[in-house]
């Protein structure tokens, strides 16, 4: 009997290890959270919500719940375990408008934005809903900080205010500031302009609105492009060409990224994979947005 119990325990442990070791993509489709294998196959809906962010070990997804209350929406951060479906919604956070979660590299904290007193703050919380802390308080008549993500060492965060890219310490102090138009002439961004840090921590992936003519009848707005930004040198390199519209990018590894694109005549965006050299482009998942990848 003891032998069989030991065998079952080992089988269970190996199953859990395999599930955690298999890399996955989390994405949003029709206000729901989905996951898929790294090659885009095996799509599966796991929850209703938006802005999904998969944990580094691929076992959990943080996302934003959204429920209508009268004429407004109530939004909370939630975490769901992929295998069991067990979910916790962080309703004790002092805001009914929280969104855009981002996992720390060690999986111990989640960074997100929340609205209090008519301004947006940046905060962190543990995956079980404890240890809530404000990192950077917003202030009236000051710019809002968007698209927060963790630095490689989890000792600081990156974000943007549509004009500059910032690196901010966990004590809220500004560590670095880079004007976007200086690094990328004719480039800017919006509140939806995503920032993501490469696995080696050396580069940022930026979703940029270019001051270029889109030359597409079915496209209204600036031409979207993906750029890498080397933190040490502030050198920016464009990944997507003028003919390949790209936005909402995240790193797969140090040489490849996922991003959204929408071809002429298509009604919705799809998730594509491209190398940082821009030489390889492949569609992985149709009708999807806001991808994230486990590591």
């Amino acid at each position: 009997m003891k032998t069989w119990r030991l065998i079952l325990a080992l089988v269970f442990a190996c199953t859990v290890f395999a599930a955690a070791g298999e890399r996955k993509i989390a994405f949003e489709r029709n206000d729901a959270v989905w996951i898929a294998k790294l090659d885009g196959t095996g799509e599966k809906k796991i929850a209703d919500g938006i802005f999904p962010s998969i944990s580094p070990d691929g076992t959990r997804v943080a996302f934003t719940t959204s429920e209508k209350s009268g004429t407004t929406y109530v939004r909370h951060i939630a975490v769901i375990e992929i295998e069991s479906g067990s979910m916790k919604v962080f309703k004790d956070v002092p805001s009914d408008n929280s969104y855009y979660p981002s996992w720390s590299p060690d999986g111990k904290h989640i960074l997100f934005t929340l609205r209090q007193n008519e301004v947006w703050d940046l905060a962190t919380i543990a995956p079980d809903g404890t240890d809530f802390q404000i990192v950077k308080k917003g202030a009236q008549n000051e710019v809002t900080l968007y698209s927060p993500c963790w630095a490689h060492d989890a000792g600081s965060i990156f974000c943007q205010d549509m004009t500059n890219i910032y690196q901010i310490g966990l004590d809220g102090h500004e560590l670095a500031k880079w004007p976007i138009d200086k690094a990328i002439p004719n480039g800017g961004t919006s509140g939806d302009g995503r920032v993501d840090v490469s696995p080696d921590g050396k580069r940022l992936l930026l979703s940029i609105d270019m001051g270029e003519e889109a030359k597409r009848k079915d496209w209204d707005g600036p031409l979207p492009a993906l750029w890498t930004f080397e933190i040490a040198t502030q050198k920016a390199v464009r990944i997507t060409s003028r003919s390949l519209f790209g936005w909402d990018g995240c790193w797969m590894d140090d040489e490849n990224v996922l991003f959204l694109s929408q071809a002429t005549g298509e009604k919705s965006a799809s998730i594509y994979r491209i190398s940082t050299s821009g030489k390889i482009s492949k569609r992985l998942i149709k009708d999807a947005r806001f991808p994230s990848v486990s590591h």
Side-chain angles (χ1 to χ4, degrees):
M1 182 65 71
K2 289 183 179 180
T3 302
W4 276 108
R5 287 179 180 176
L6 178 59
I7 292 173
L8 289 173
L10 289 172
V11 169
F12 176 76
C14 291
T15 302
V16 172
F17 179 79
E22 183 181 14
R23 297 187 66 196
K24 303 179 184 70
I25 300 171
F27 61 96
E28 178 188 327
R29 175 187 289 155
N30 298 328
D31 295 329
V33 177
W34 293 66
I35 59 168
K37 296 179 181 180
L38 198 61
D39 62 0
T41 62
E43 298 178 12
K44 178 184 177 182
K45 178 183 173 181
I46 60 172
D48 292 322
I50 56 178
F51 293 112
S53 177
I54 195 164
S55 63
D57 64 2
T59 63
R60 297 165 291 177
V61 177
F63 62 99
T64 301
T65 63
S66 183
E67 299 178 1
K68 193 168 185 179
S69 177
T71 59
T72 62
Y73 283 88
V74 175
R75 300 181 180 91
H76 295 292
I77 302 300
V79 171
I80 185 170
E81 293 186 6
I82 293 174
E83 289 298 317
S84 69
S86 175
M87 184 172 74
K88 183 174 180 62
V89 182
F90 303 158
K91 294 186 177 181
D92 292 336
V93 171
S95 172
D96 283 335
N97 198 355
S98 303
Y99 80 116
Y100 210 99
S102 172
W103 289 87
S104 61
D106 60 9
K108 294 182 179 180
H109 294 89
I110 297 169
L111 173 68
F112 65 103
T113 66
L114 73 157
R115 190 166 177 82
Q116 293 189 96
N117 303 317
E118 304 303 317
V119 296
W120 289 96
D121 301 333
L122 301 181
T124 61
I125 197 167
D128 62 358
T130 62
D131 195 26
F132 169 77
Q133 297 184 43
I134 296 292
V135 174
K136 179 71 173 178
K137 287 192 66 66
Q140 297 290 345
N141 303 317
E142 290 188 7
V143 295
T144 299
L145 299 176
Y146 301 99
S147 313
C149 65
W150 291 87
H152 176 67
D153 63 0
S156 61
I157 63 174
F158 294 95
C159 54
Q160 55 94 4
D161 66 0
M162 298 192 290
T163 303
N164 304 289
I165 304 295
Y166 296 91
Q167 184 176 13
I168 296 174
L170 298 185
D171 60 0
H173 286 86
E174 181 183 305
L175 303 178
K177 174 181 174 181
W178 303 291
I180 296 172
D181 61 0
K182 183 178 179 181
I184 305 172
N186 214 25
T189 191
S190 65
D192 293 329
R194 191 169 176 182
V195 180
D196 196 38
V197 183
S198 61
D200 64 9
K202 295 180 179 180
R203 290 180 291 176
L204 302 179
L205 181 64
L206 307 177
S207 295
I208 298 294
D209 295 331
M210 301 301 299
E212 301 170 351
E213 186 178 348
K215 296 182 180 180
R216 270 178 52 172
K217 294 181 180 180
D218 63 347
W219 191 267
D220 183 20
L223 192 158
L226 290 179
W227 290 71
T228 58
F229 177 81
E230 191 171 8
I231 297 170
T233 64
Q234 288 84 65
K235 179 183 178 181
V237 177
R238 186 170 182 165
I239 298 177
T240 52
S241 65
R242 292 191 179 189
S243 61
L244 178 61
F245 292 12
W247 69 97
D248 208 7
C250 69
W251 295 90
M252 289 186 72
D253 52 51
D254 291 325
E255 303 300 331
N256 296 277
V257 302
L258 296 182
F259 68 103
L260 296 191
S261 190
Q262 188 169 331
T264 302
E266 291 185 339
K267 295 182 179 180
S268 62
S270 297
I271 297 175
Y272 285 74
R273 172 179 178 169
I274 195 171
S275 66
T276 54
S277 65
K279 295 180 179 179
I280 303 172
S281 179
K282 179 183 179 182
R283 182 163 65 181
L284 297 184
I285 303 172
K286 295 182 179 180
D287 185 23
R289 67 182 298 269
F290 208 80
S292 64
V293 185
S294 64
H295 296 287

